[in-house]
Amino acid sequence: MLRRVVVTGMGCVTPLAHNVSNTWSEMLAGRSGVARISLFDPANFPSQIAAEVKNWSCSVPCLPRQTQFALCAAEQAVAQARLSHEVIQPSRLSVYMGCGEIFPDLQTITELVGKSLGESGFSPEDFYRQAQGQSFFQGSCEPCDAAMRIAAAVGAEGQVANSITACTSSSLAIGQGAELIRHGDADAVIAGGAHSMISPFGVSGFARLSALTTEWNDQPELAMRPFDITRSGFVIGEGGAVLVLEDREHALARGAEILGEVTGYGAGQDAYRLTDPHPQARGAVTAIRNALADAELRCDDIDYISAHGTSTMMNDRMESRAIKKVFGDQAKSVPISSIKSMVGHLTTACGALQAIACIQSLLHDAIPPTLNHQSPDAGCDLDFTPGEARELACRHILSNSFGFGGQNISLIFSRR
């Protein structure tokens, strides 16, 4: 018999705040974390806005931002869960994160290239020799660095892993972390994700894909417009979100507070194109149906859907189509919203932050709004909770994450 998986701790660092409570308050208030980029000069970029983590300082400033975010979020989650070696064997504690690529500092690279220019031109040998002492050539820039550092900080001696599956990375980490517990391979898993792509490399890459909005540089708070007919692309966000997943019986035995339960996990692959979702949303449909089957729930059991909702023309229409295909006539009666409208797209970390928002909805009988949803799209004609948060007592919540490469993950969170 599979074991039940509950959430006993949560932590986050977001463009809205540096912890769960304040982030949740800002979401319910419909605040936007989007502003002009300050981490570098964006004047020559077509998209000059992002959702940065503001007023950020860390005790280990030499680490990449995403690693800092992950460590801070994990510390919060572990503290709330009261997880220690006194209550869990180190070999039964695992870490599963979804953290993406880390970009080297452009200024540092430019300086090294300058120092490697001689009379005969650029010298690769000089560049490599000088680069040996730079951190971006060392282990701290590995995507798995955050997971390993979290494991070291808490003394987790079980399985430690990091997934990189684009925008589904941290949702996959939560799903796979839950599977470790379900099948008895761990008693608790620290799971989540972190990312920061707000750099010249990250912004340039998404700009070349025409994924970023370029129309709202002068009004950044209006830029993220999921499911609205005037949407024109997403805004990059950054941050970290971590949950402590735990075997329900283990949590009860040690007197831990149970915040919610992970009841469904489903995956589906488009098998179509690298950057475009399948026009019939087949991977997303499969993921949602698999999550419902895993949770042994019907469509009418779902009280709210936390949408992937990226504010891109194709993705929002695809997600709407997937929901309609799975939910049928019930699709228009289930409330939906996208927290990306406030925090931007946290890329590999977005699913974990959605998971935290879902648990908060279960705990507080409220759902966050979709900011800037003012003019409905004929292809997105569902209830997207426009503008204002809504009081809603939820039993079961579906959370969608759909990523580049046709990867689709759906999770279901249920009331404790």
Side-chain angles (χ1 to χ4, degrees), residues 276-329:
D276 298 336
H278 189 272
Q280 297 305 314
R282 63 185 179 195
V285 168
T286 298
I288 296 171
R289 285 177 174 163
N290 286 345
L292 288 167
D294 186 47
E296 299 182 348
L297 295 173
R298 304 184 310 270
C299 289
D300 58 5
D301 292 318
I302 300 299
D303 300 300
Y304 162 61
I305 298 174
S306 178
H308 188 55
T310 60
S311 192
T312 61
M313 195 59 67
M314 285 191 298
N315 182 272
D316 289 0
R317 283 183 179 168
M318 180 277 294
E319 185 166 13
S320 299
R321 184 173 294 119
I323 292 170
K324 291 177 187 177
K325 282 192 171 186
V326 176
F327 284 77
D329 293 339

Side-chain angles (χ1 to χ4, degrees), residues 20-148:
V20 171
S21 177
N22 290 343
T23 294
W24 178 245
S25 296
E26 294 292 284
M27 284 183 179
L28 291 186
R31 307 263 195 256
S32 173
V34 181
R36 184 175 176 82
I37 293 172
S38 67
L39 294 175
F40 66 92
D41 183 0
N44 295 320
F45 289 78
S47 182
Q48 301 170 8
I49 56 178
E52 298 177 346
V53 172
K54 300 160 187 70
N55 304 314
W56 177 249
S57 62
C58 178
S59 59
V60 192
C62 61
L63 295 177
R65 283 175 72 85
Q66 79 172 32
T67 304
Q68 296 177 23
F69 300 151
L71 287 171
C72 183
E75 182 180 12
Q76 294 173 31
V78 169
Q80 183 179 24
R82 295 184 291 111
L83 204 61
S84 67
H85 289 175
E86 284 71 34
V87 299
I88 189 169
Q89 298 178 25
S91 62
R92 302 291 296 168
L93 176 60
S94 294
V95 178
Y96 211 127
M97 294 293 288
C99 296
E101 64 273 48
I102 298 174
F103 295 104
D105 179 66
L106 183 60
Q107 182 174 346
T108 302
I109 291 182
T110 302
E111 290 174 355
L112 289 177
V113 170
K115 293 176 181 178
S116 304
L117 291 173
E119 293 182 359
S120 58
F122 176 72
S123 169
E125 292 78 11
D126 287 346
F127 178 83
Y128 297 145
R129 184 166 50 253
Q130 294 182 73
Q132 295 306 308
Q134 299 297 323
S135 62
F136 66 79
F137 282 107
Q138 299 168 1
S140 64
C141 281
E142 290 290 335
C144 62
D145 183 59
M148 294 186 294

Side-chain angles (χ1 to χ4, degrees), residues 72-290:
C72 183
E75 182 180 12
Q76 294 173 31
V78 169
Q80 183 179 24
R82 295 184 291 111
L83 204 61
S84 67
H85 289 175
E86 284 71 34
V87 299
I88 189 169
Q89 298 178 25
S91 62
R92 302 291 296 168
L93 176 60
S94 294
V95 178
Y96 211 127
M97 294 293 288
C99 296
E101 64 273 48
I102 298 174
F103 295 104
D105 179 66
L106 183 60
Q107 182 174 346
T108 302
I109 291 182
T110 302
E111 290 174 355
L112 289 177
V113 170
K115 293 176 181 178
S116 304
L117 291 173
E119 293 182 359
S120 58
F122 176 72
S123 169
E125 292 78 11
D126 287 346
F127 178 83
Y128 297 145
R129 184 166 50 253
Q130 294 182 73
Q132 295 306 308
Q134 299 297 323
S135 62
F136 66 79
F137 282 107
Q138 299 168 1
S140 64
C141 281
E142 290 290 335
C144 62
D145 183 59
M148 294 186 294
R149 289 182 184 273
I150 291 170
V154 302
E157 298 177 5
Q159 179 176 326
V160 177
N162 184 76
S163 64
I164 308 180
T165 53
C167 312
T168 64
S169 299
S170 56
S171 291
L172 178 66
I174 292 170
Q176 291 296 325
E179 288 297 290
L180 289 176
I181 296 171
R182 281 179 163 186
H183 293 277
D185 295 319
D187 290 329
V189 178
I190 298 168
H195 211 186
S196 179
M197 297 188 72
I198 306 175
S199 76
F201 293 106
V203 174
S204 296
F206 279 126
R208 286 174 62 83
L209 291 172
S210 300
L212 301 181
T213 180
T214 60
E215 299 177 10
W216 301 93
N217 289 331
D218 295 331
Q219 295 177 289
E221 70 281 357
L222 302 180
M224 284 295 291
R225 314 179 67 80
F227 305 105
D228 190 274
I229 190 62
T230 62
R231 67 191 183 277
S232 56
F234 68 78
V235 173
I236 296 179
E238 64 174 359
V242 173
L243 299 86
V244 173
L245 310 179
E246 191 168 351
D247 167 50
R248 183 174 182 272
E249 296 306 314
H250 185 276
L252 291 173
R254 69 180 185 87
E257 180 185 6
I258 293 175
L259 307 175
E261 183 171 359
V262 183
T263 52
Y265 167 42
Q269 171 60 239
D270 285 350
Y272 181 60
R273 291 177 182 166
L274 182 63
T275 57
D276 298 336
H278 189 272
Q280 297 305 314
R282 63 185 179 195
V285 168
T286 298
I288 296 171
R289 285 177 174 163
N290 286 345

